[in-house]
Amino acid sequence: MRSRRMAAAVTTMAVVAGGLVSAAVIGVGPVLADHCDPAEAGQSPQASQTQQQNRNRNQGRQQDQQNDQQGQQEDQGQQQDQQGQQQDQQGQQNDQQGQQGQQQDQQAPQGGGIALLDPAQPPESTSSESADSGNGDSGNGDSGNGEQANDPQATPEESANTFSRRRGGNGGRPTQSASPTASPTASPTASPSPTGTGAGEEECADLGPFPEDFVDIRQVAPVNDNARTGRNGSRGTFVSQCGTNRNGHNNPDNFIVAPGVSNGAHHLHDYVGNVSTDAFSTDESLAAAGTTCRLNDRSTYFWPVLRDRKVDQNVDDPDGNVGQVLRARSVTLQFRGNAASRVVAMPRFLRIITGDAKAATNGAANAKAGWSCSGFQNRISPDKYTLCPRGSQVLRILDFPSCWDGQNTDSANHRTHVVFPGQGGACPQGTRAIPQLRMTLAYTVPQGPSYAVDAFPEQKHNPVTDHADFANVMPDRLMQFVVSCINRGRRC
C-alpha cells in the first residue's frame, strides 16, 4: 500500500515538473531583430495603441493556453492522487476483508480468492506544441534580373498590414491628407512625424517611413505633365552615359550647399560622373579630375541613396540612415529642350539643385520628388513611395530647373539663378532656356514597403524629401554639341 502511494506521488511530481519545463519553453518570446524595416514601422498613435492591445491579447491567449496546459497536468496529478487514495481505501477494505476472511476461515473453512485491483495506470502522456511563425519577407535588392518587385495581387492595405509587427510605442505620424491618386502637380504632404516619447520605445521605432508613405502605383492617377512643344520650341534630347556608380563613389557631403563641411548632408550620396566630388571640391579640382561619363563629360551628378531597410546594415548610423544601400540598376541622364524656345549653352561650372531635402519640415514649395514604376511612367507620385507590380522597377524621376538668369553660376539659396519654366513651358522674363536635366533612376527593391531614401534625421525618410544635385563640367565643345542636338530635334 505504502509503495503504491509513493509511486503515484513520484509520477505526479514528474508530470508537473515536465509541464513547468514545457511552459517555460513555450513562454520564450521571439528574438527581436535589430534592423529598422519600414514594413514593421510605427503607425499613428491610435494604430500603435491597437497593435499594443492586439499584442496584449495574443500574450493573454498564450498565457491562457499555458495555464490550461498546466491546469490539465495538475488535474491529471489530482486524478492520480485520487486514484492512489482509492487504492489505499481499497487496500484497507481488502485488509478488512482479509481479516473477516480469516475469521470466517476459523469459523467455517470455505474456498475462494480475493480479486486484486490492477496497479494504478501510468498517467496519459500529454504534449503541447506551439509554433510562432512570422511572415518575414526577403528580397534581393540587387539580383541582376530586375524582376524582384511587388506582388500584383497585394493591395496597398495588405502591404501596409506588415507594419503591424512594428516594435516600439507610439512612434507613428498622423495620416497624411494627400489623396492616393496624387498627381505630380498635387501639393505634397510635408508634415513631419512626431517624435515618440515612450521610455521603453526602441531606437528605430520612429525613424520612418510609415505606412501612409507608400502607395500602389495603380492607384496613382495618370497625368501628362509635359507642356506641348510649340513652333519655336526645341524637341531634341541628349543623354550623357555615366554608369550606375559601380566604383562605389559615396559620401555624405554636398559641396554645393555645404562646401568644406564633412557630412554636411547627414545622408549618403551616390555619385556618377566626376570621380573626385566631395565636400572640398572646387571648380579647379573638378576640371582636373577623371570621370565615369562618355565624351569626357566631367560633370558631377549626385543624389541620396536608396536603402533596403530589411537588412541589418549601418545600424549605428547617428543620423538614422540604416539598411543596405541599393545601387540603381540604371541611370539615365537626359538633357531636354524647352517647349517655347530654343536652348542656349549652360555656362561651365553652373550648379543646380532640384527638390528640397527638408521638404517635410520646410513645406512643399521647393519639393520636386517624383516616384514611379517602370511601365507606369505616366503615373508619378510626388509624395509617396511607389509599390510596383512584379517585374516592374521603382523609378525616381527628378527634373531640374532650366531657366537661367544669364549671369550667375550659383546663388545664395542655390535656386534663384536657375528657376523652373512656367506652366506653359516658357521661361520667365529675364531668364533664358538651357538644356533641362532629367534624372531617371531605376531600382529593384524588396517586395512591399521595405525601402527608403536617405534623409536628414528629422525628415523621417519622408519620400517628399527626394532631391538631386548637378554641376556642369562639360567641355565647351561637348556643351555646344548638346545644344545643337536639342535645337535640331535630334536624339543624341
Side-chain angles (χ1 to χ4, degrees):
M1 178 177 65
R2 183 172 301 172
S3 61
R4 286 196 296 268
R5 288 184 180 178
M6 293 181 64
V10 170
T11 304
T12 302
M13 292 175 63
V15 172
V16 174
L20 293 176
V21 171
S22 299
V25 173
I26 294 171
V28 174
V31 177
L32 296 179
D34 292 331
H35 64 279
C36 298
D37 183 354
E40 299 177 354
Q43 301 189 27
S44 63
Q46 181 178 0
S48 297
Q49 183 177 4
T50 302
Q51 292 175 14
Q52 185 63 41
Q53 293 173 352
N54 291 336
R55 287 195 292 268
N56 291 339
R57 284 196 294 269
N58 292 334
Q59 293 174 357
R61 293 192 189 102
Q62 293 177 356
Q63 186 64 39
D64 290 341
Q65 292 174 357
Q66 295 173 8
N67 292 338
D68 291 341
Q69 292 169 358
Q70 293 178 359
Q72 292 173 1
Q73 293 165 354
E74 291 174 357
D75 291 341
Q76 291 173 359
Q78 292 175 359
Q79 292 174 359
Q80 292 167 357
D81 290 340
Q82 292 173 358
Q83 290 175 359
Q85 293 174 0
Q86 292 174 358
Q87 292 170 3
D88 292 341
Q89 293 174 359
Q90 187 65 41
Q92 293 174 0
Q93 293 175 0
N94 292 339
D95 292 342
Q96 292 174 0
Q97 291 175 0
Q99 292 174 0
Q100 293 174 359
Q102 290 176 0
Q103 293 173 359
Q104 291 172 358
D105 291 340
Q106 293 173 357
Q107 295 174 359
Q110 294 177 357
I114 299 174
L116 299 177
L117 294 176
D118 292 336
Q121 294 293 332
E124 295 181 0
S125 59
T126 59
S127 62
S128 300
E129 295 181 359
S130 65
D132 186 8
S133 60
N135 295 327
D137 294 333
S138 62
N140 182 355
D142 197 6
S143 61
N145 56 16
E147 296 296 323
Q148 191 100 5
N150 302 298
D151 188 346
Q153 301 299 323
T155 65
E157 291 79 8
E158 291 171 343
S159 299
N161 282 342
T162 60
F163 286 77
S164 65
R165 303 195 303 272
R166 186 61 188 162
R167 313 181 305 282
N170 56 350
R173 106 175 126 200
T175 302
Q176 297 181 357
S177 58
S179 168
T181 58
S183 68
T185 57
S187 176
T189 302
S191 59
S193 314
T195 301
T197 57
E201 188 169 338
E202 297 196 23
E203 59 184 16
C204 61
D206 195 32
L207 287 180
F210 302 94
E212 61 268 24
D213 290 325
F214 293 83
V215 64
D216 189 311
I217 188 61
R218 290 161 293 195
Q219 294 188 2
V220 178
V223 294
N224 182 9
D225 62 336
N226 294 322
R228 178 176 298 179
T229 303
R231 178 180 302 178
N232 297 323
S234 42
R235 302 173 182 270
T237 59
F238 172 85
V239 174
S240 188
Q241 298 179 4
C242 302
T244 60
N245 192 23
R246 289 183 177 273
N247 57 329
H249 183 184
N250 300 101
N251 60 53
D253 304 341
N254 190 324
F255 78 97
I256 296 178
V257 299
V261 180
S262 296
N263 193 36
H266 292 275
H267 51 261
L268 198 66
H269 283 133
D270 260 332
Y271 292 85
V272 297
N274 200 290
V275 298
S276 70
T277 314
D278 61 17
F280 307 97
S281 293
T282 63
D283 293 349
E284 293 75 19
S285 68
L286 293 172
T291 182
T292 65
C293 302
R294 66 170 185 155
L295 303 179
N296 200 30
D297 177 8
R298 300 186 184 186
S299 302
T300 180
Y301 307 81
F302 56 104
W303 54 86
V305 301
L306 209 63
R307 291 185 189 267
D308 176 359
R309 298 292 293 277
K310 299 174 73 68
V311 179
D312 293 342
Q313 287 192 9
N314 208 43
V315 294
D316 296 326
D317 183 66
D319 298 312
N321 293 301
V322 300
Q324 182 182 46
V325 172
L326 295 171
R327 190 178 72 236
R329 305 306 302 277
S330 67
V331 174
T332 304
L333 307 171
Q334 182 187 61
F335 291 88
R336 309 188 302 166
N338 181 272
S341 70
R342 296 165 64 88
V343 299
V344 301
M346 293 181 182
R348 202 173 191 209
F349 307 118
L350 178 69
R351 303 177 182 191
I352 316 177
I353 64 175
T354 187
D356 185 358
K358 298 183 178 181
T361 52
N362 288 346
N366 293 314
K368 287 294 178 182
W371 298 92
S372 187
C373 299
S374 58
F376 298 85
Q377 284 90 327
N378 64 332
R379 301 171 186 256
I380 302 176
S381 172
D383 59 354
K384 295 182 186 296
Y385 296 114
T386 47
L387 301 174
C388 305
R390 187 176 299 277
S392 175
Q393 293 180 317
V394 169
L395 300 182
R396 299 164 70 183
I397 301 175
L398 296 160
D399 287 336
F400 282 71
S402 58
C403 298
W404 174 48
D405 67 6
Q407 297 180 353
N408 301 296
T409 57
D410 202 356
S411 54
N413 62 0
H414 315 291
R415 298 184 188 276
T416 54
H417 66 298
V418 183
V419 298
F420 281 92
Q423 193 164 6
C427 283
Q429 186 174 3
T431 64
R432 307 172 68 181
I434 57 175
Q436 182 188 40
L437 172 60
R438 166 174 282 187
M439 289 184 181
T440 303
L441 315 174
Y443 295 84
T444 297
V445 303
Q447 293 186 14
S450 296
Y451 68 94
V453 68
D454 265 21
F456 287 94
E458 71 277 7
Q459 304 302 309
K460 308 298 183 185
H461 302 279
N462 192 317
V464 77
T465 64
D466 202 12
H467 60 281
D469 302 76
F470 164 72
N472 172 43
V473 198
M474 291 185 184
D476 290 339
R477 288 187 59 183
L478 177 59
M479 177 54 66
Q480 290 299 332
F481 177 74
V482 172
V483 169
S484 176
C485 286
I486 293 174
N487 287 337
R488 293 184 180 183
R490 299 171 55 195
R491 295 185 177 181
C492 305

